[in-house]
Every structure is written in structure tokens, then in C-alpha cells.
Amino acid sequence: MTPFPFAAIVGQDEMKTAMILTAVDPSIGGVLVFGDRGTGKSTAVRALSGLLPPLKMVAGCPVNSADPADVPDWARGAGTAVEARPTPVIDLPLGATEDRVTGALDIEAALARGETAFEPGLLARANRGYLYIDEINLLEDHIVDLLLDVAQSGENVVEREGLSIRHPARFVLVGSGNPEEGELRPQLLDRFGLSVEVASPSDIEERIEVVKRRDAFDRDPDGFVGDWGDAQADLRDRIVAARGRLAGTGAGDDVLRDCAALCIALGADGLRGELTLLRAARALAAFDGARAPGRDQLRRVAAMALRHRLRRDPLDEAGTTARVARAVEEVLA
Amino acid sequence: MSAPRWAAAIRALHCFAADPVALGGLHLRARSSDARRLWLGRLHDRLGPVARLHPDISDEVLLGGLDLDAALRTGEARHRAGLLDRHEVAILAMAERATPGLCARLGQALDAGRTGLLALDEGVADEGLNPALADRMALSIDLEGLRAVEAPALAPLPDSAALDDDTARQRLVALAQALGIASLRAPGQALRVARLSAALDGRADVAEADLAFATAVALVPRATRLLQPEAEPEQDTPPDPPPDTEDEAAAPDLPPEGAEILLEAALAQLPPDLLARLAAGHVPRAAGTGAGAARKGNRRGRPLPSRPGRPDGRARIDLPATLRAAAPWQRLRGGGPGERVRIRASDIRLKRFEVKSDRLIVFAVDASGSAAFARLAEAKGAVELLLAEAYARRDHVALIAFRGADAQLLLPPTRSLLRTKRALAGLPGGGGTPLAAGLREGLELAHHARGRGMDPALVVLTDGRPNVALSGETSRAAAAQDAATLAAAIRARAIPGLVIDTGNRPAPALAELAARMGATCLPLPRADAERLSRAVADAL
């Protein structure tokens, strides 16, 4: 099914910016989207595969390798031809078994041919792309542990049932959820590079426009995608250009100082906050076409890079965004 | 009163049957009744073959997978398509019991636009369909309390003014916002319902009546507030507005044009208790449980008898039971002494285990002022009594006392009676009432306990006159506000609670606080330890 065009998503600028930044620089880490139901979280994530430029990958390779030399030796049915395919955006459904996530013994091959073969799981399919977990706050603990490990190392190791397999699993983790239904373990929270909060727009005109576009899309998906083709292509070109510029986008000492001052003012744990803030500001600068990030970029990414790293106060339900905004006001005055 | 409701239910049925996939689904809330039987019979007449799902359905049956039966019989791997691949319409029975995992998979199928789902929800009170799934289904009807009359045929809607597309959309979006529906799926779905309803009557454009119908079946069931909430006469208005007035402030002061008429027309088609619930401020509660609360697993715990099933990667095969099940059939299957054992899929038995997570009852006791001595003695007695039964019930207890400026954890979670007695021996009383500090301490303790796999509950004993705020400042207003904020935080974390009003006269403010916590309020003015312990055991 055709995904809804990313460029046609109304409002939700922070969420869209966060996703574009991870497309420009995947090393920023994942995106966490928390907010009400029906605010376009899943629509935006699924739209990514239509937005991003196609990847070159070996036909039939289970881990989407770019080069035939990288195809793992356990893979069966991989050819040598390289073809362009859309960036994978893989859904990890709640309650997925460990087998389905990491891959497991291929029962089919074991039963039919008596072979010990590996059937790759979702992590293999998400390599070089996105792994999307809706309702991530309800994910079972053992799957969370597994994801943390893989997201950290970029490699999936399977040692079970007589198998000993490892394959690359580098992906951008995108999680979404409704905070009313449960919280995320801090260990997982910290692994996300960016976090955004989405709310239903309160402007009636904006709401009408959302419903109108969705309706037009549902009635005639192909026509609607065609109408937005140019806007999509423009956005895609900007992302590709930003990727090219990224390596040349430096950051001066003054920006580093600002990053550190912000993190100190907020008491964010660890240095991950500074690094992410810097990376996100650089990616945004590249996307804006600037040579180096400035205070403007820092202001725009500070909330998404830092709000989930603050120490929690059980009294302060929605206060982290406000706290970041206050610190930005003070430090970058 | 029931005739318009029946008509709406029948119209919803026809809309769903006309285009189940575009609507996503229909959420039918009804216990077993003649009305439900009649309604379902009508629907089946209009639908083709449907997939029947149940809450324990396995992934392989739902989404397809290896056909183990054929594989074991023939030695060849065969794939079998899942129920959702083979059918356009699926019926989920006992939908209120569907696990979040199943709901996530069904939600994905609905998002992909290939399935229309009929969820039969027989939940009582707070039970109900997973909200994430319900949000993806356009129609929601409730047959509760409808008497089985001979189901009327689909009657055309009364004549009303035709509307153009933009007006209809605008009206529905505005109304959805006024009803406090955050999801933007809802107005879009309502518009689709209105169009189908117009098509049922053979009209090209939607009319007022279609909008009223769509409002009744697609918007009002999701409402979180009524139009223009009546300003409640408050007895003791706190000087500062409570922090949760944000959404009210964001809502438009005046309902959009035409909304009231639309709503009025919709109301006639709805069960009256729905409105009562809304008016009482009953907002559907989050049904999610978060991680770590699972009480039944199939990996560890006390073994239960194994049962037939298919290996799904989660359960373990019970080999002795499987062989035992296969043994009687060996001769029939052509086996014999010296031959290999012939096992079919139907022989496979899976291990099952039951784990009961330990319960932790956190007592937060008001140790302030004059009545403290008596209160504390009662609380101490109750804690000891509960502990005496703890071995059988697997309860742990913890005790927090709040007085003066802050709260103190007197007894960390324990099951040791001896330790409890020692800790309780020297429990001083007197000073101010920092209720918020006590709640905060209780919340943190419960939160940590949950992280360790326990099942916490919070029991608050107070006479409900907080006068010390979290900051340590002595101010009734600030203290009450801090307590209210913490109560909301406790509710958000779904920690079950009980508030025991130990004052001589029941305090209305305390009942309000309990409601905020999502807890029961129990006035027990002159309770002794035994009654207290019994009340706690009954309530939790």
C-alpha cells in the first residue's frame, strides 16, 4: 500500500524535523515520539520509506547489504545483482516473539531437509533502515533488553539451537507511544537521540486541513501522491544535499561551549546529551544549507535532544519541555 | 427511547457491511442478549465469509506460517495463509480480553487497509477494548439495555438540508474538538460514515441527518467531555487554579455553530448512561499495564497441566506429555516396535506455568496532631494483622508515616513480622500534616516495587486536612494543591489505592482526592485494627 506523502503531513513540525535530522545523519540515534492517539505518529514514520532516496542493495540479501561481498555466508538465495530499493521501514509489533525479532532456526529447512539454517528476523530486515515500534512503552522487558544491546553494538548475535550467527543490524530506532499508558524504562529512554512530544493541533483550520488531506488520500491514493510528487522530490533533494554537506559542516568552539553550558544548566546526565545536541545542530545546519551550526540551530534542536535526559520529578508531569526552554532562554540569551 | 437507538444500530450495521475495510471496524459493546443475537444475525446475513478470531489466537493462525500438520505428515514444508490474508472481515470475540500484542497486530492490519474488524466487546465497567485499536475503528455502538424488539428494517433518515463536503467536514472537526477528542482519525472516520449513510439512502450529498448519525456512532463514544461543561459550584475554591485546567483553557469557549443541534440529534441515538458517565467526569482509563506486571507466564513459575498447542517460539514443548499423547496412536499410524515414533501436530503439548507476583501494600499513615496516637496504634495493628496472614496471601507491607515537615519510611517492604514489630515500636506522632510528602514517598516506593516485579497498592490513612506543602511551607491551599497533583501522578501510574478517612466526620475534600487517585474512599471514623485490616483486604 502506498504510504501517505511525508510532505503532505500538516503541522507537527518538531516531529518532522526530528525525522529529517535522523535521515540526514543516522548516527544521531533514534527518535521517540510521545503523544495522543491519532496525531499522525505512525503516518509520519511510515511515510519515511516514500520520502527517503532509494538504497542500493543486493537482490535477495536478507540484511540489505550494499555490496555482494558483504552478503553473510548463511544467506540463501542472494544474487549478485545490485538494485535500488526503498529504505526499509520495519514495523516491530507489540508482543513479537524473540524468534521473530532476532531470527531463529528455520523450522521449515530443519523439518523438510534436516538442515540447520537461519531464518533472519526483523532486525535483519531493518538493517540500514528504520525499525518502528508503536506503543513502545508497552513492549515486554526481554525484547527491550535485546533491542538495547543490538542498538548499541549495531550487530545482532544469535547463539541458540545449534546456531551461531552474527549479522549487521544498524538501524534508526523510532518508537512511539501514549504516555498515559505507561512509562519507558530510563535505560531505553536514554538510547534515543531525539524525543518529541506531539499533541493534537488546537487550531480548527489546521485540524480541518488534516482531515481534508487524509480524506483526499484515502479516496484516491495515487492521485494524491502524484499531486505531492514535486514537494516530496524537493524535500528529498534537500535531504540528499544535506547528507553531502554534513561532512563539511564544522562546529566552532563557541557552539561546543553553548552545548556544554546548556547541559550543565539542565543537569542532564552523562555526555550523551552534548553529543546528540551537537550532532543534531550540525545536521540541521546542513539541512538549512549553513556552513556551521549557530545559536539558531541550537535553539531549534535543544528541546528534542535534551528533554528526555533530565532527571524526572514525579510532580512535574509535562515540565521537561518548559525546563529546556527556560535553560535555552538563559544560556543563549 | 430505544427506537432511535435501534435505528442507529441498524444503520451502523449497514454502513459497516457496505464498506468494512474503509471504516476500519465496528466496536460493538454488548453483553450476551437477545438484542445482540438479533443484531449479529442481521450482520451475518449481509456479510460474506468472515474470519473468526479469539483473544488467544496464535500468530501463525492469524498471519500465516508453517503448516505444522502437513509438515509432520508429509515431511514437506507447506505454508498456510493466515486468517487475515484469506478474509476481508474479521470478527474478534471477547475483544476486551485481547492482549496488547494481538491488538497491535490487528491495528497494523487495519492501518494497512486490508481488513475490517468487528470487535465484540463484552466488558463490564472499566474493562474494554484496547484504546489504540478502538481508535482505528470508525463505528462504536452499545446495545446494552436495549430490549430485543423485532429488528426494524433500515429506515431512511428524515429529510434534512444537504451540505457540501467542506461544510460537513468543518462541522465534524469542530464538534470533535469541542467534545475533547484528541485523535484526528475520529472526524475523518465520521465523515466517511456520513457519506456511507447518505449512500444508503441513495443521496449523493450528505445531509444534516447523516452528520447527526455519524456524530452518534463515531464521535460521541470517544468524547472525553460534554459540550459546555456546567461550571460546578465549588465549596472551597483554591486560590490558584489546579494545574490540569490546561485542556479546558485550550478548548473553545463557545461550541461551534450548529454543533449543539447536531449533538442533540445524536443524543437520542445513544444509551443514556453514556452521558451520565461523561457528566460524572468518567474518562475512559488507560488500559495499558506497562511492563513487569504480567502474572501468568509460560516460562517459569508453578507448573500447570500442559495443554495442546503449537510451538510459537514462546512456549516450551512438554516432551513427555507429547509422547504420551502420541503413544496410543502408533499402531494406527503404521508405527510399531523398533520404528520411530510418529508424532502429529495434534499431539504436541505445551508447558504452562503460573506466576503470581508478590503484592506490596504500602501504608501511608497520617501521624500528625492530636489524634495521631490512636490512629497510629490502629495502623500498627492493621499492619501486623495483615502480615500475620501474609504467608498465605504473599503480601509484603511497608509503612510510611508523615508528620511535621516531611514523610518517613518507617518500614521498608518486608514480610518479617519480627522486624515490623521492632520498627513500629518507636513511632512518634505530632506536628503538621504533609499529606503530599506522604503521597510522594508512597508513590516512589510503589514505583520501585513495581520495577522489582511486585504488585504495589497504596493505602492512605488520614483525616484529610493537609497543611504542609511539599516545599515545607505551611499553607492549606498549597498543601491541597500538591496533594492533588501527586494524586493525579499516582493515577497515571495506575497504582491501585485506598483512602481511609479516619476523621470523625467524613471530609469531602478527601473523597475528591481519592477520585483523583483513582482510589476508593472509605470513611472509617472509629476503626480498630481488625476492621481496618479487613477493609484493606476486601478493598484491594
Side-chain angles (χ1 to χ4, degrees), chain A:
Chain A
M1 187 176 132
T2 8
F4 190 82
F6 191 88
I9 295 171
V10 183
Q12 311 296 12
D13 289 320
E14 198 188 14
M15 173 170 70
K16 285 194 288 190
T17 309
M19 291 193 183
I20 288 172
L21 293 184
T22 64
V24 172
D25 181 4
S27 74
I28 290 175
V31 184
L32 181 68
V33 189
F34 256 31
D36 297 333
R37 271 181 284 280
T39 41
K41 299 189 296 274
S42 359
T43 306
V45 182
R46 296 196 174 117
L48 280 171
S49 67
L51 172 70
L52 299 177
L55 288 178
K56 290 238 183 319
M57 43 180 98
V58 177
C61 174
V63 295
N64 311 328
S65 306
D67 188 327
D70 295 340
V71 175
D73 51 4
W74 48 262
R76 286 160 296 151
T80 48
V82 174
E83 58 186 15
R85 287 230 301 272
T87 304
V89 177
I90 303 298
D91 261 309
L92 192 156
L94 214 59
T97 61
E98 210 176 308
D99 289 8
R100 262 193 86 200
V101 177
T102 59
L105 182 74
D106 185 346
I107 298 189
E108 184 177 335
L111 278 175
R113 297 187 293 278
E115 289 171 11
T116 312
F118 177 64
E119 189 183 10
L122 296 172
L123 293 176
R125 284 171 54 204
N127 190 30
R128 302 178 66 206
Y130 285 78
L131 186 70
Y132 173 46
I133 310 170
D134 196 8
E135 314 264 5
I136 188 167
N137 42 352
L138 302 183
L139 201 64
E140 281 163 70
D141 276 347
H142 66 281
I143 302 281
V144 172
D145 296 342
L146 203 147
L147 281 175
L148 285 180
D149 184 39
V150 176
Q152 185 82 335
S153 61
E155 190 176 47
N156 179 29
V157 180
V158 184
E159 299 276 0
R160 52 193 283 191
E161 291 155 355
L163 291 168
S164 177
I165 296 264
R166 51 186 61 214
H167 66 76
R170 265 179 270 279
F171 48 80
V172 177
L173 194 61
V174 182
S176 69
N178 185 340
E180 280 172 21
E181 281 168 15
E183 280 180 275
L184 213 53
R185 281 168 63 197
Q187 293 89 330
L188 186 56
L189 206 56
D190 195 41
R191 301 297 159 94
F192 282 97
L194 307 174
S195 96
V196 291
E197 286 165 5
V198 292
S200 219
S202 53
D203 175 39
I204 193 100
E205 293 304 324
E206 196 176 326
R207 294 178 72 108
I208 291 173
E209 189 58 31
V210 173
V211 174
K212 195 170 177 176
R213 287 193 194 169
R214 185 77 220 184
D215 187 37
F217 173 75
D218 286 340
R219 285 178 148 193
D220 177 14
D222 295 333
F224 188 78
V225 171
D227 290 346
W228 284 88
D230 287 347
Q232 283 275 90
D234 285 349
L235 196 54
R236 184 179 304 135
D237 291 346
R238 275 183 79 187
I239 292 174
V240 173
R243 280 180 182 171
R245 269 197 299 268
L246 187 66
T249 311
D253 282 351
D254 52 335
V255 173
L256 296 181
R257 189 172 297 277
D258 282 344
C259 286
L262 262 179
C263 291
I264 291 170
L266 284 165
D269 295 341
L271 285 172
R272 224 188 285 248
E274 264 119 309
L275 280 174
T276 313
L277 186 59
L278 182 66
R279 283 196 184 129
R282 274 180 48 194
L284 186 60
F287 186 67
D288 287 347
R291 281 177 173 275
R295 289 198 156 180
D296 174 42
Q297 275 87 15
L298 273 187
R299 268 192 202 101
R300 280 156 63 198
V301 298
M304 60 174 94
L306 296 178
R307 68 158 67 90
H308 55 298
R309 298 176 203 279
L310 307 187
R311 280 188 188 277
R312 290 238 155 184
D313 181 352
L315 262 187
D316 210 4
E317 278 302 314
T320 49
T321 309
R323 273 160 71 194
V324 175
R326 214 156 46 222
V328 168
E329 284 294 310
E330 282 165 18
V331 175
L332 305 184

Side-chain angles (χ1 to χ4, degrees), chain B residues 202-503:
Chain B
R203 280 175 280 114
D205 292 317
V206 296
E208 299 265 3
D210 295 317
L211 286 197
F213 164 70
T215 305
V217 295
L219 290 186
V220 179
R222 299 198 168 97
T224 58
R225 59 168 175 247
L226 275 179
L227 236 41
Q228 279 182 314
E230 293 269 325
E232 277 175 44
E234 292 196 18
Q235 287 112 6
D236 45 348
T237 321
D240 299 350
D244 64 341
T245 44
E246 264 176 350
D247 8 5
E248 265 109 334
D253 292 325
L254 291 170
E257 184 199 348
E260 228 166 322
I261 309 164
L262 209 53
L263 198 63
E264 201 123 306
L267 294 185
Q269 307 172 20
L270 288 166
D273 64 319
L274 180 80
L275 298 169
R277 282 208 302 271
L278 269 178
H282 173 100
V283 175
R285 235 172 122 174
T289 50
R295 242 151 276 139
K296 248 189 190 172
N298 46 21
R299 284 166 183 273
R300 57 199 178 92
R302 194 169 64 85
L304 294 171
S306 52
R307 73 170 203 210
R310 294 178 182 236
D312 56 0
R314 265 181 286 202
R316 292 214 306 263
I317 294 177
D318 186 346
L319 201 55
T322 305
L323 290 175
R324 214 175 298 128
W329 306 99
Q330 291 309 306
R331 188 171 304 220
L332 270 177
R333 289 174 190 171
E339 294 281 317
R340 71 182 184 91
V341 185
R342 290 165 199 235
I343 292 178
R344 302 226 170 128
S346 54
D347 301 330
I348 292 178
R349 297 289 183 275
L350 300 180
K351 287 186 180 173
R352 290 191 304 149
F353 298 95
E354 185 184 61
V355 188
K356 279 214 181 98
S357 60
D358 288 0
R359 216 157 59 136
L360 169 67
I361 302 184
V362 181
F363 286 88
V365 182
D366 185 347
S368 67
S370 55
F373 290 114
R375 284 295 90 76
L376 277 177
E378 287 156 9
K380 283 183 198 174
V383 169
E384 283 175 19
L385 274 174
L386 277 173
L387 262 187
E389 298 171 47
Y391 185 74
R393 286 216 311 261
R394 295 183 146 268
D395 288 342
H396 296 234
V397 295
L399 180 69
I400 292 163
F402 50 95
R403 68 185 192 99
D406 57 2
Q408 235 187 324
L409 176 63
L410 289 175
L411 180 68
T414 181
R415 285 171 67 180
S416 154
L417 201 52
L418 188 70
R419 197 173 152 203
T420 310
K421 285 198 161 151
R422 275 195 200 134
L424 295 184
L427 175 54
T433 311
L435 178 56
L439 289 177
R440 180 170 65 181
E441 193 72 28
L443 172 63
E444 269 166 21
L445 191 61
H447 197 58
H448 289 156
R450 186 172 278 172
R452 289 199 307 272
M454 288 167 128
D455 205 359
L458 183 62
V459 179
V460 184
L461 280 88
T462 177
D463 56 1
R465 288 175 184 80
N467 54 15
V468 180
L470 275 184
S471 56
E473 172 200 2
T474 311
S475 145
R476 275 191 188 281
Q481 196 184 324
D482 280 355
T485 318
L486 273 161
I490 290 171
R491 186 193 176 110
R493 282 169 184 72
I495 296 166
L498 176 67
V499 177
I500 297 181
D501 187 346
T502 52

Side-chain angles (χ1 to χ4, degrees), chain B residues 66-281:
Chain B
L66 185 70
D67 188 344
L68 204 59
D69 230 337
L72 284 172
R73 211 171 40 241
T74 63
E76 272 172 48
R78 294 228 184 100
H79 271 273
R80 189 174 44 178
L83 278 175
L84 291 184
D85 295 323
R86 283 180 282 150
H87 298 276
E88 203 175 53
V89 181
I91 297 186
L92 174 64
M94 287 169 287
E96 76 281 2
R97 302 204 337 110
T99 59
L102 176 62
C103 292
R105 286 167 174 76
L106 289 173
Q108 263 180 29
L110 296 191
D111 277 355
R114 18 183 197 99
T115 310
L117 180 70
L118 172 64
L120 303 179
D121 175 358
E122 294 184 48
V124 284
D126 256 4
E127 275 182 319
L129 183 62
N130 177 302
L133 187 56
D135 192 52
R136 290 173 159 85
M137 308 179 21
L139 299 162
S140 169
I141 57 174
D142 189 339
L143 299 183
E144 211 55 58
L146 272 188
R147 268 187 307 115
V149 288
E150 192 50 43
L154 176 68
L157 291 173
D159 274 340
S160 54
L163 301 168
D164 64 82
D165 234 28
D166 281 336
T167 321
R169 186 180 301 121
Q170 196 171 349
R171 297 267 288 274
L172 288 173
V173 173
L175 186 60
Q177 193 178 16
L179 288 172
I181 304 172
S183 170
L184 282 169
R185 283 198 189 98
Q189 289 164 338
L191 186 63
R192 229 167 291 155
V193 172
R195 284 200 195 118
L196 278 172
S197 159
L200 283 179
D201 289 352
R203 280 175 280 114
D205 292 317
V206 296
E208 299 265 3
D210 295 317
L211 286 197
F213 164 70
T215 305
V217 295
L219 290 186
V220 179
R222 299 198 168 97
T224 58
R225 59 168 175 247
L226 275 179
L227 236 41
Q228 279 182 314
E230 293 269 325
E232 277 175 44
E234 292 196 18
Q235 287 112 6
D236 45 348
T237 321
D240 299 350
D244 64 341
T245 44
E246 264 176 350
D247 8 5
E248 265 109 334
D253 292 325
L254 291 170
E257 184 199 348
E260 228 166 322
I261 309 164
L262 209 53
L263 198 63
E264 201 123 306
L267 294 185
Q269 307 172 20
L270 288 166
D273 64 319
L274 180 80
L275 298 169
R277 282 208 302 271
L278 269 178

